[in-house]
Amino acid sequence: AHGLRRLFAQAGPRLVPVVSNPQMAFGGVLLERLCSALAEQGARTLVVDAAEAAPAADELAVMGLAECIEPLSPELSYLAARTLPLRYADTHGSTAPFLQAVLDAAPQADVVLVHAGASDLSRLFARQTLATQVRPLLLAADHPSSVTHAYAAMKLLALRSRLMVFQLLLGAAPGSPRAPRIAAQLARC
């Protein structure tokens, strides 16, 4: 709890890129638990789901994003946004204007979790000026294909967006013998 308070103690909304991992069978559960932890801390969270398996964006999104944000509880809202950032692409291939549009559409949000693939996140955050400390959150399970995907996402974001600091949310059984080794291997990268 103290770590979450410290991580999100800043003025204005906190943008958190969450790298989707299709090699995880329960990635949605990890996102739900993260949102629950943020709600317990009193944070109002908007989940912008632009992952590969996310629902398609509502047709009204071209009119304005605010109408497409679905309130799920007083602390949690959801925006289905698969392929939506591409509508905001600029001449340099950056989709960063989408982030400003999301912030304008949800001024009440304390935390904006942007759930997308690594390549989409690299286009969103490559020229990021909205937040000074963007730390992508890698999702992984304790099996090799999931960890490999998280590692590849980390390398892609580091190379394309110059993001060098990452957080890891590892879904594993409490007594998993692989969990400490996985965390140590990714930390050395």
Side-chain angles (χ1 to χ4, degrees), residues 43-168:
R44 293 167 299 197
T45 304
L46 170 63
V47 176
V48 178
D49 197 357
E52 302 86 357
D58 193 307
E59 295 172 357
L60 295 175
V62 295
M63 304 298 278
L65 294 178
E67 292 79 23
C68 301
I69 295 175
E70 180 182 352
L72 302 177
S73 73
E75 300 85 19
L76 181 63
S77 298
Y78 179 81
L79 175 63
R82 184 173 39 108
T83 70
L84 193 55
L86 292 175
R87 295 181 188 172
Y88 292 82
D90 63 15
T91 57
H92 301 290
S94 171
T95 55
F98 174 70
L99 295 175
Q100 186 59 56
V102 167
L103 294 177
D104 293 343
Q108 73 285 358
D110 299 313
V111 179
V112 177
L113 294 178
V114 183
H115 182 237
S119 61
D120 291 331
L121 290 174
S122 69
R123 284 189 293 275
L124 280 165
F125 289 92
R127 295 176 182 89
Q128 176 57 300
T129 59
L130 296 171
T132 57
Q133 293 181 338
V134 175
R135 292 184 179 161
L137 177 62
L138 301 169
L139 300 179
D142 67 342
H143 57 84
S145 62
S146 174
V147 175
T148 301
H149 187 275
Y151 174 76
M154 181 176 64
K155 295 299 273 186
L156 190 140
L157 287 167
L159 292 172
R160 289 189 185 173
S161 303
R162 295 189 178 104
L163 296 171
M164 300 297 181
V165 179
F166 297 85
Q167 302 294 329
L168 173 66

